[in-house]
Amino acid sequence: MSYFLKLDMKDFWDNSQYAEQHYISEPPTDEMITKIEIDLGYKLPKSYILFMQHQNGGIPKNTCFPTTEPTCWAENHIAISGIFGIGYEKSCSLGGEFGSEFWVEMWDYPNIGIAIADCPSAGHDMIFLDYRECGPTGEPCVVHVDQEDDFKITWLADDFESFIVGLVHDDVFSNHEEEKTATFHMVNTAAFSTELMNLLSKQSDIRDLETKLRKLCKGIVEEKGYFALHSDRKSLLLYDLQFWLYSSYYDEITAERFLDTYPKFIAMPSEEEVVSSGGYAPDFVRDWLKQRMEEGAIVEVGYYIQFTEREKNRLIEKFNEM
């Protein structure tokens, strides 16, 4: 059986450094495919395997899929950030750090099949292969699962091939450049939250830090087209900065205290018309903190945590050089 006869494979992917770092793996071997299927407990559709043999994961140029009912993303469509490849190495692959099992085990998504694509909401909605009707060895349909609406499941396509062929450019639904321009304006001119402005006003180690913070936020928008923090390099740096500001001003910081306070900085501040990502995925922040502690950049002193002096100086130097 032939697949994707009407699809121009050469023009499907929007490859970038970010996609290469987080999504794209080497073509899957037969052994890798078998291992993934055993680990996840489902047989992958032939169309999915063929597609990944052309390019194993990545970010498509067309990121929207029409729907006949409203979703958490829009009245008439959903959007994806990338498609997971077959492998374990890249964080956004079927067996990777943020692969299928992560969303079921850590985020309590329903165990209906395999998570194959993430969305711009940073984990608050996902795309799944749904095996409920066909069984673990059958041909699954493709569904959208909305965490924010009690994990509501919305049917998208009868099979993986139909889903891929049905993806359309976001220009079909909105003017992406206008939205990106508005986001640039927000991070460039809007006030920061009261909590963050208070912390910025207390420090003098970094010259013109507010301007440099805005520059970092604009860099995130430039790379993604929207403002959200995930596990990319600029997001990790912004996590570092927020922790440094908080721990430089307050004593006796525990991991739980920082994670509880974090949303008030730049993720979900209570004020309107401030610089905000409009939401956040807690596990990305927890994973950042776990990684920094494993690296020895953040250490425990008694019951509390703080940057090492070396790491603090490195961060200050990095921002002073911006």
Side-chain angles (χ1 to χ4, degrees):
M1 180 182 296
S2 299
Y3 296 96
F4 306 106
L5 296 179
K6 298 181 180 180
L7 187 68
D8 183 359
M9 292 283 200
K10 295 181 180 179
D11 196 45
F12 181 83
W13 298 105
D14 184 17
N15 291 331
S16 63
Q17 182 178 356
Y18 181 80
E20 182 68 37
Q21 181 179 358
H22 296 282
Y23 288 90
I24 305 172
S25 299
E26 293 296 318
T29 62
D30 291 342
E31 291 77 14
M32 178 65 73
I33 294 168
T34 299
K35 178 172 173 52
I36 282 285
E37 290 179 334
I38 291 173
D39 288 348
L40 297 182
Y42 298 96
K43 186 171 181 59
L44 294 172
K46 291 181 179 179
S47 58
Y48 188 92
I49 294 172
L50 175 64
F51 200 70
M52 294 307 154
Q53 287 172 339
H54 173 262
Q55 177 174 307
N56 197 13
I59 299 173
K61 293 181 178 179
N62 295 334
T63 56
C64 295
F65 193 91
T67 62
T68 57
E69 59 182 284
T71 67
C72 59
W73 181 253
E75 289 295 315
N76 56 1
H77 69 282
I78 58 94
I80 64 173
S81 298
I83 301 172
F84 298 163
I86 300 171
Y88 295 84
E89 177 186 2
K90 297 303 173 72
S91 58
C92 297
S93 58
L94 291 185
E97 182 180 5
F98 303 120
S100 185
E101 289 186 332
F102 170 81
W103 299 107
V104 174
E105 294 176 2
M106 303 300 294
W107 278 60
D108 295 325
Y109 273 87
N111 190 13
I112 61 174
I114 302 174
I116 59 165
D118 51 359
C119 300
S121 65
H124 293 279
D125 59 327
M126 297 289 295
I127 308 302
F128 273 73
L129 294 177
D130 183 356
Y131 289 80
R132 287 177 297 171
E133 290 191 10
C134 67
T137 62
E139 182 73 23
C141 63
V142 180
V143 299
H144 171 263
V145 185
D146 180 7
Q147 186 213 38
E148 294 297 316
D149 190 10
D150 196 25
F151 296 103
K152 176 186 176 183
I153 298 174
T154 301
W155 175 89
L156 297 177
D158 283 338
D159 50 59
F160 178 75
E161 180 185 16
S162 299
F163 174 70
I164 292 298
V165 173
L167 288 170
V168 297
H169 198 273
D170 59 6
D171 284 348
V172 172
F173 300 103
S174 65
N175 191 320
H176 178 70
E177 286 305 315
E178 286 186 5
E179 292 181 356
K180 186 175 180 179
T181 298
T183 306
F184 266 124
H185 181 73
M186 181 265 291
V187 299
N188 196 43
T189 63
F192 288 109
S193 68
T194 300
E195 287 81 359
L196 191 52
M197 284 302 299
N198 178 56
L199 296 177
L200 288 170
S201 69
K202 301 297 182 182
Q203 76 80 38
S204 58
D205 292 319
I206 300 175
R207 300 181 296 274
D208 200 14
L209 179 54
E210 182 177 342
T211 298
K212 292 171 179 177
L213 175 55
R214 293 186 188 278
K215 180 180 178 181
L216 178 58
C217 293
K218 286 188 286 186
I220 292 173
V221 176
E222 181 63 42
E223 285 189 359
K224 301 180 180 179
Y226 52 89
F227 185 54
L229 275 61
H230 300 130
S231 60
D232 53 283
R233 181 176 57 85
K234 287 184 172 64
S235 294
L236 296 176
L237 182 58
L238 191 43
Y239 293 142
D240 276 357
L241 179 64
Q242 291 175 94
F243 178 78
W244 172 71
L245 286 169
Y246 187 60
S247 60
S248 294
Y249 182 62
Y250 292 102
D251 296 323
E252 301 181 350
I253 305 301
T254 64
E256 292 75 15
R257 181 181 175 187
F258 174 73
L259 293 173
D260 286 344
T261 307
Y262 169 80
K264 299 178 181 179
F265 301 143
I266 213 165
M268 299 174 64
S270 58
E271 304 101 316
E272 296 182 358
E273 298 183 0
V274 297
V275 176
S276 169
S277 60
Y280 79 116
D283 283 303
F284 280 111
V285 188
R286 294 191 190 100
D287 287 340
W288 157 81
L289 182 57
K290 178 182 178 182
Q291 177 183 335
R292 299 301 272 145
M293 294 184 73
E294 289 176 348
E295 294 170 346
I298 294 175
V299 295
E300 291 182 294
V301 180
Y303 294 104
Y304 309 114
I305 60 173
Q306 63 185 37
F307 269 132
T308 64
E309 196 68 21
R310 177 181 179 181
E311 189 63 24
K312 181 172 66 175
N313 291 336
R314 184 201 66 81
L315 186 67
I316 291 170
E317 182 180 358
K318 187 177 187 66
F319 274 92
N320 275 326
E321 291 176 351
M322 287 178 63

